[in-house]
Amino acid sequence: AVKEGPAGLPSSVSRLGSAMSVREPSQSGALSAASRSPCEAEEAAPGRCLSLLPWDRFSAWLHCVCVVGFDLELGQAVEVIYPQHSKLTDKEKTSICYLSFPDSNSGCLGDTQFCFRFRQSSGRRLSLHCMLDQLDRDLPVSLKKDPAYYYGYVYFRQVRDKTLKRGYFQKSLVLISKLPYIHLFHTVLRHIAPEYFVKNEPFLEAVCSDVDHWPPPVPGKTLNLPIMGIIMKVRIPTCHDKPGITHVVQFTHQEDTQISIALPTVHEVDLFRCFCPVFFHIQMLWELVLLGEPVVVMAPSPSESSETVLALVSCISPLKYCSDFRPYFTIHDSEFKEYTTRTQAPPSVILGVTNPFFAKTLQHWPHIVRIGEIKLPGEVPKQVKVKKLKNLKTLDSKPGVYTSYKPYLNRDEEIIKQLQKGVQQKRPAEAQSVILRRYFLELTQSFIIPLERYVASLMPLQKSISPWKSPPHLRQFSQENFMKTLEKAGPQLTSGLKGDWIGLYRHFLKSPNFNGWFRTRQKEMTQKLEALHLEALCNEDLLFWSQKHTEVEIVDLVLKLKNKLFQADREHLPMKPDTMEKLQMHIDAIILALPDDLQDILLKTGTT
């Protein structure tokens, strides 16, 4: 019979030989990192984690800054990349070139701001700082970095210039980042781009130097970010913030007299302004985004397309939209063929487009949102019916939603009346956006709470966790068992909306958004079980246990405990603060009770 040690794994003599060749991890480093918050760790060890190389602080915020110009022979071309050591593949440069200019039909004279999102080339990993991964863990799920994508934030200028052959000056200043902080980076560009177009490269170098002096993007802290003579004061949200509560950045201290801009948000768009053209369909659009349906937004310019796509993605917050989305998509995009093919069903993706060509190539898509130039209404919008897809001929078609989709839920007339009243009373757009954001939040929470409650019931009872056995597994998710809970504990407890909630849940359970949400919950609960198992181990007298067992079994126990300690630190398990320390003390006490030769081996032996 195979014996089980307290770590819940079979004993094995062979583990000792194989483990001797493995490098010893720094246990003291593991302990100190695990027992600190990211803020404390950053402050306690800036040299170790955050100032290893020049441009490390810059890299925490931006991958690089690009200047894209128009060459008569080459077309759009990347003229400058800064810092110069920044790496972009040829494919990435091509994507940036085409996505940094509006389509020629947009007629964007003057200055235009928008954003895009593009795939990082496969086979190339971004080297992220040790602390940045930890910072990412403390972000709300919707703001976590996606390792496969970059964002591009654009300030495009097109003005008449008779000295140039084309008769126009056309250039874009582009910030490339992994961070989805649209409001922050658009604010930066509004401040620096006009001056850059006059002063050129030396000015750009000074801008990048300023960013390289920014503190790390620590969630939950108020940060002062100097940029070319002004200071922006921002707060990055954390996963611990209560949903729907915005932490207002205020001027509190005397030294704040030099602060020039306090940003109310780093990532939110003007929700009400974006949804104005499709005012009466907000609830149906929420369902389409929730279910991961293919949606294309057709707009007159990249500004409107990118803001509307980002507004759609954010309307299911705090749920993360788990499919692909492209705030601005062009016919030159590397995924153009993949996303426009008629040989298979359209993928789960939200595209923002401006080229009239898409009215033809995407007319087989099931849901098309057509918006005109976004401006806040001075009068109450007239009710607009959902239009049939066959009526969408060109990009000149009237604004509206073109789909044959029938919503599962009845329309909430109250939110429509509330927002209409706001228009009549000239309520500020910011206040209208707050009302709309709260409405979406409450709708999403009413939908997700029954799922959260059911998934929590899959967690084994704490009394079933024994230090002498492996941690128990989560029970399987059963769609039918979940559906049975809805009768007594469904969304009707928090929402007055009537309709086919059951049908909406059945559809959602097949969607990428459910898969992404459930995988995250599964991982969190499994880590919690591992943490509870470690806490149970720490409460045992392991030294007393070791006195009753053979040296082979004791060595096996030590190796397994070291392995658990290393994994707990690497995965940042949600444990009580002193658990890691207690576990290390158990390991030290057991080793000290062994003969000297074994002590030497075990002190030098680590684990992977």
Side-chain angles (χ1 to χ4, degrees):
V2 178
K3 290 185 181 179
E4 272 206 354
L9 295 169
S11 292
S12 116
V13 184
S14 63
R15 285 281 301 274
L16 177 61
S18 61
M20 284 183 187
S21 62
V22 181
R23 187 166 50 89
E24 169 78 359
S26 168
Q27 299 294 352
S28 60
L31 284 172
S32 60
S35 59
R36 293 187 191 128
S37 72
C39 306
E40 292 167 335
E42 185 267 317
E43 286 159 3
R48 187 167 61 88
C49 269
L50 290 163
S51 300
L52 293 173
L53 296 166
W55 299 109
D56 266 359
R57 287 176 179 263
F58 177 93
S59 299
W61 293 91
L62 294 172
H63 178 66
C64 64
V65 181
C66 297
V67 178
V68 180
F70 192 90
D71 184 284
L72 274 174
E73 293 178 6
L74 302 174
Q76 282 110 286
V78 176
E79 297 177 347
V80 177
I81 299 176
Y82 206 87
Q84 291 164 357
H85 65 265
S86 302
K87 289 182 171 61
L88 289 171
T89 65
D90 288 342
K91 188 177 180 181
E92 287 165 349
K93 286 179 189 174
T94 301
S95 294
I96 291 167
C97 279
Y98 285 119
L99 290 166
S100 295
F101 271 42
D103 282 313
S104 55
N105 67 287
S106 298
C108 297
L109 268 178
D111 293 354
T112 306
Q113 282 191 261
F114 59 95
C115 95
F116 59 83
R117 185 172 179 262
F118 66 103
R119 244 178 232 174
Q120 181 174 313
S121 293
S122 57
R124 186 168 75 78
R125 289 190 61 189
L126 188 71
S127 56
L128 278 176
H129 237 252
C130 60
M131 193 54 59
L132 294 185
D133 289 340
Q134 192 167 332
L135 300 181
D136 202 52
R137 273 188 284 273
D138 288 337
L139 285 168
V141 66
S142 57
L143 293 182
K144 290 182 187 293
K145 290 187 289 291
D146 188 325
Y149 290 90
Y150 284 118
Y151 284 87
Y153 300 97
V154 182
Y155 193 105
F156 170 73
R157 173 167 288 185
Q158 178 169 263
V159 291
R160 293 185 187 281
D161 187 338
K162 291 179 181 177
T163 64
L164 300 174
K165 276 186 182 180
R166 284 172 60 86
Y168 286 95
F169 171 89
Q170 294 173 306
K171 196 162 284 194
S172 286
L173 183 61
V174 190
L175 308 181
I176 304 296
S177 177
K178 285 279 176 181
L179 306 177
Y181 300 160
I182 181 170
H183 188 68
L184 169 64
F185 290 125
H186 276 352
T187 303
V188 169
L189 282 167
R190 266 196 304 275
H191 180 63
I192 66 169
E195 203 167 344
Y196 164 73
F197 290 130
V198 176
K199 297 180 179 176
N200 297 321
E201 273 67 60
F203 181 79
L204 194 59
E205 192 171 337
V207 166
C208 293
S209 177
D210 272 358
V211 176
D212 196 39
H213 286 84
W214 286 5
V218 179
K221 284 183 74 177
T222 298
L223 307 172
N224 290 338
L225 311 178
I227 188 83
M228 302 313 290
I230 65 162
I231 296 179
M232 296 180 300
K233 192 168 189 174
V234 303
R235 181 189 181 274
I236 293 167
T238 81
C239 55
H240 309 295
D241 293 344
K242 189 177 176 183
I245 302 297
T246 302
H247 292 257
V248 179
V249 178
Q250 295 176 325
F251 302 110
T252 48
H253 304 297
Q254 195 171 355
E255 63 266 24
D256 283 354
T257 50
Q258 68 182 98
I259 303 284
S260 302
I261 304 174
L263 269 58
T265 174
V266 290
H267 67 285
E268 290 172 351
V269 294
D270 189 337
L271 214 53
F272 180 65
R273 183 171 163 271
C274 293
F275 281 117
C276 259
V278 285
F279 191 79
F280 288 94
H281 311 304
I282 51 175
Q283 192 175 311
M284 181 176 70
L285 292 171
W286 173 83
E287 282 191 24
L288 293 175
V289 176
L290 179 77
L291 300 173
E293 285 287 306
V295 177
V296 60
V297 175
M298 296 186 174
S301 82
S303 298
E304 278 95 3
S305 81
S306 60
E307 285 195 13
T308 306
V309 169
L310 292 172
L312 285 169
V313 168
S314 72
C315 78
I316 61 167
S317 179
L319 264 183
K320 180 181 174 67
Y321 180 77
C322 295
S323 297
D324 191 8
F325 60 96
R326 303 299 177 91
Y328 175 49
F329 189 76
T330 77
I331 59 174
H332 303 288
D333 201 286
S334 54
E335 281 78 52
F336 174 74
K337 284 185 181 176
E338 177 188 340
Y339 286 167
T340 57
T341 179
R342 288 170 182 257
T343 57
Q344 57 194 46
S348 174
V349 61
I350 302 177
L351 298 181
V353 304
T354 63
N355 193 320
F357 184 65
F358 282 110
K360 184 177 181 181
T361 53
L362 296 180
Q363 65 184 359
H364 63 294
W365 276 46
H367 319 292
I368 296 172
V369 181
R370 169 78 180 95
I371 57 174
E373 192 176 337
I374 294 181
K375 51 182 182 288
L376 287 171
E379 55 187 37
V380 181
K382 295 184 177 68
Q383 182 155 354
V384 182
K385 288 184 178 178
V386 174
K387 297 176 170 64
K388 292 179 181 175
L389 280 164
K390 64 181 181 182
N391 294 337
L392 182 72
K393 302 297 184 193
T394 67
L395 263 179
D396 298 325
S397 301
K398 289 181 179 177
V401 180
Y402 294 77
T403 180
S404 55
Y405 176 83
K406 288 184 173 55
Y408 288 96
L409 305 181
N410 301 342
R411 188 192 303 215
D412 188 337
E413 299 294 346
E414 283 305 306
I415 184 67
I416 299 292
K417 287 176 186 173
Q418 194 177 359
L419 292 171
Q420 282 180 320
K421 189 177 179 182
V423 173
Q424 289 170 331
Q425 297 176 344
K426 296 189 168 38
R427 186 186 290 145
E430 294 84 358
Q432 294 276 77
S433 284
V434 168
I435 291 168
L436 193 50
R437 190 167 279 111
R438 189 188 306 127
Y439 163 75
F440 282 136
L441 172 66
E442 289 172 358
L443 189 55
T444 304
Q445 286 182 322
S446 290
F447 179 80
I448 209 70
I449 284 170
L451 273 164
E452 295 274 13
R453 193 182 289 120
Y454 171 71
V455 168
S457 74
L458 304 179
M459 187 85 163
L461 295 173
Q462 189 162 350
K463 65 183 180 183
S464 69
I465 297 170
S466 163
W468 311 105
K469 295 178 182 175
S470 297
H473 294 292
L474 298 174
R475 287 191 288 278
Q476 288 290 314
F477 185 100
S478 160
Q479 180 172 322
E480 291 316 308
N481 287 346
F482 165 65
M483 292 299 176
K484 287 174 188 172
T485 68
L486 295 176
E487 189 178 341
K488 291 183 179 177
Q492 70 274 12
L493 296 180
T494 51
S495 173
L497 268 184
K498 305 296 182 187
D500 183 10
W501 285 97
I502 300 285
L504 186 62
Y505 280 113
R506 286 195 189 280
H507 195 154
F508 177 71
L509 294 179
K510 299 172 188 171
S511 74
N513 289 332
F514 170 72
N515 288 337
W517 173 82
F518 184 61
R519 276 200 309 271
T520 301
R521 285 290 173 272
Q522 233 176 354
K523 183 181 177 184
E524 289 170 354
M525 291 164 73
T526 302
Q527 287 184 334
K528 183 63 181 172
L529 286 171
E530 289 284 351
L532 290 170
H533 183 245
L534 275 182
E535 285 167 13
L537 268 173
C538 286
N539 293 329
E540 292 295 318
D541 189 343
L542 298 181
L543 184 60
F544 179 73
W545 177 93
S546 69
Q547 289 164 358
K548 297 182 175 183
H549 290 75
T550 65
E551 283 184 1
V552 168
E553 290 171 323
I554 295 167
V555 166
D556 194 60
L557 169 66
V558 169
L559 290 174
K560 281 182 279 191
L561 289 177
K562 281 191 168 196
N563 190 39
K564 283 187 170 290
L565 189 72
F566 180 68
Q567 286 180 333
D569 175 51
R570 186 181 60 196
E571 295 175 18
H572 294 263
L573 297 185
M575 293 182 298
K576 292 175 184 173
D578 60 345
T579 301
M580 299 279 278
E581 205 171 322
K582 279 184 183 175
L583 197 58
Q584 185 64 54
M585 287 167 68
H586 278 308
I587 292 170
D588 294 343
I590 294 169
I591 290 175
L592 286 172
L594 290 168
D596 289 349
D597 57 338
L598 270 179
Q599 282 189 40
D600 289 342
I601 292 169
L602 288 172
L603 287 170
K604 290 173 185 173
T605 303
T607 187
T608 51

